[in-house]
Amino acid sequence: MTQVQLITGARVATMAAPDGYGLIEDAAIAIDGETIAWVGSSEDLPADFANADPLRLDGRLVTPALIDCHTHIVHGGHRAREFEMRLEGASYEEIARAGGGIVSTVEATRAADEPTLLAAALTRADALIAEGVSVIEVKSGYGLDIETELRMLRAARAIEKHRPVRIVTSFLGAHAVPKSTDADAYIDDICLPALVAAHTEGLVDAVDGFCEGIAFSPDQIARVFDRAKALGLPVKLHAEQLSHLGGTALAARYHALSADHVEYATEDDAIALAQSGSVAVLLPGAFYTLHETQKPPVDAFRSHGVPMAVATDWNPGSSPMGSLLLAMNMACTLFGLTPAEALTGTTRNAARALGLTDCGTIAPGRRADLAIWDVEEPAELAYRIGVNPLHARIFGGQG
Ligand code: DI6
Ligand code: FE
């Protein structure tokens, strides 16, 4: 990789304006080390940034590099049989209650050592990086015992030692109740000690949970969140995915970074998220895979000013989807986002959903994490299905 210092002849979607793309025509971007030093119209480029050998882009579009703010890319095995069962008529909940679903991935993940988990995760990270992704959030939650939860998080952290990408971890011990265990006992005896051990090892950037009839109640999640707060960790929640249980309101009470899925969220939930400053993370891959019909309340999010992000939710059960561009397309076609909202959702608002303030827009002082696309219009990124127009990616100033 080579150091890039000046980009010229670009069409830049800064994503830094309050609405829309923040487009600059015939733009230049000056980079100092890992950081954006200047962005603007080429004719205004200060003389000190002039460079005899710029990277000339011939009108290509530059956006912030994409951010996938909700994934489960560290896991063992796959669930193709479950896919078949659903097509034969079984529901996600029925499969979960019959011992399939998340619990079957738990078995495969427990059986995998760290190098095996890492190798599979690197393949998945590569698919995202190939689409211009620079930050990937990765969750635990397929261990459900202390040792495997820690192993998953170690594998997640190791990704960035092997690839030019930034990893943000979430501890998701409260993801499912292990077979023949009581949910409350699991929280006390395994989930909370695992969280403390993982935090002590520096493996946790945020704490997540699955608040659902087939997983944990709001009261149980609240106990996990209380421990997170005591450790000084931010929280987020899988909330209102399959039913309305009050997870979104709970997340808002804890000033969560985000509430994710939120298909069954109400207008009151939207108001609560707006007041807490939490991001609504939309996951159309799970909605599509599970043949869901209840759409997230996008109009209420808009009217109450809730920032919306879009992510893959890449996991082996409800969203075996390795394309963030496809998630953007689905967020538009299935949930009615505009292409500008979808791109905001995988850049600026995705950074916010991870509590990151140094990326997600193209502005002086932000990290030089950029995606260069062979497209004319920013809307093209969400428009095509299964087409990857990435020309190049710059990560921390290196291209
Ligand atoms: N909701 C999801 O979409 C994933 N986890 C969750 O809580 C699904 C995980 C899986 O089915 O393996
Ligand atoms: Fe998820």
Side-chain angles (χ1 to χ4, degrees), residues 72 79 92 102 142 175 210 238 241 261 286 313 315-318:
H72 307 248
R79 307 232 294 273
Y92 184 67
I102 294 174
Y142 290 120
H175 193 198
F210 188 19
H238 288 68
Q241 179 186 3
H261 289 284
D313 194 16
N315 74 69
S318 67

Side-chain angles (χ1 to χ4, degrees), residues 57-335:
L57 289 187
D58 302 324
R60 288 191 178 90
L61 180 74
V62 180
T63 68
L66 304 186
I67 297 171
D68 194 347
C69 68
H70 181 141
T71 87
H72 307 248
I73 62 167
V74 171
H75 62 259
H78 66 81
R79 307 232 294 273
R81 175 63 197 131
E82 188 178 308
F83 175 61
E84 291 177 318
M85 284 167 71
R86 276 203 309 277
L87 291 169
E88 288 156 11
S91 75
Y92 184 67
E93 283 137 308
E94 283 162 1
I95 291 168
R97 291 191 198 284
I102 294 174
V103 170
S104 75
T105 298
V106 169
E107 279 167 22
T109 303
R110 286 180 180 171
D113 62 12
E114 191 182 321
T116 306
L117 289 176
L118 175 60
L122 288 177
T123 306
R124 298 179 192 121
D126 284 340
L128 295 173
I129 291 168
E131 285 191 339
V133 170
S134 63
V135 182
I136 306 173
E137 186 262 13
V138 185
K139 302 176 192 299
S140 70
Y142 290 120
L144 311 184
D145 62 32
I146 297 177
E147 191 190 319
T148 316
E149 287 293 307
L150 291 174
R151 190 160 75 250
M152 287 185 75
L153 292 167
R154 288 186 200 119
R157 280 272 193 258
I159 294 170
E160 61 185 17
K161 299 198 185 87
H162 296 266
R163 294 293 187 274
V165 73
R166 186 167 170 191
I167 299 296
V168 177
T169 59
S170 298
F171 174 80
L172 180 55
H175 193 198
V177 185
K179 273 186 203 158
S180 55
T181 318
D182 168 74
D184 283 305
Y186 169 74
I187 300 258
D188 288 333
D189 299 342
I190 299 186
C191 182
L192 296 179
L195 169 56
V196 172
H199 173 65
T200 304
E201 219 180 292
L203 295 172
V204 184
D205 295 324
V207 175
D208 198 349
F210 188 19
C211 187
E212 194 57 65
I214 53 170
F216 296 94
S217 69
D219 285 350
Q220 289 161 343
I221 296 291
R223 290 202 286 129
V224 179
F225 281 4
D226 285 337
R227 186 62 57 91
K229 288 288 163 187
L231 296 171
L233 292 168
V235 301
K236 57 177 70 176
L237 191 61
H238 288 68
E240 263 75 75
Q241 179 186 3
L242 308 168
S243 61
H244 189 275
L245 233 63
T248 309
L250 175 80
R253 275 205 301 285
Y254 282 82
H255 299 283
L257 288 171
S258 66
D260 300 40
H261 289 284
V262 290
E263 277 88 340
Y264 285 83
T266 62
E267 176 149 24
D268 282 348
D269 292 328
I271 293 168
L273 289 178
Q275 284 170 350
S276 68
S278 310
V279 176
V281 177
L282 308 185
L283 303 168
F287 174 89
Y288 166 87
T289 301
L290 301 182
H291 300 236
E292 295 294 328
T293 52
Q294 174 85 23
K295 298 184 183 194
V298 165
D299 285 339
F301 292 149
R302 273 190 198 118
S303 61
H304 294 289
V306 178
M308 291 181 282
V310 175
T312 60
D313 194 16
W314 192 346
N315 74 69
S318 67
S319 191
M321 181 166 75
S323 169
L324 190 55
L325 291 172
L326 182 56
M328 289 166 60
N329 171 273
M330 287 178 170
C332 295
T333 300
L334 299 176
F335 294 162

Side-chain angles (χ1 to χ4, degrees), residues 11 21 23 61 374-382 384:
R11 192 160 195 235
Y21 299 113
L23 267 185
L61 180 74
D374 277 320
V375 303
E376 293 174 354
E377 298 295 330
E380 287 180 71
L381 298 178
R384 292 192 186 85

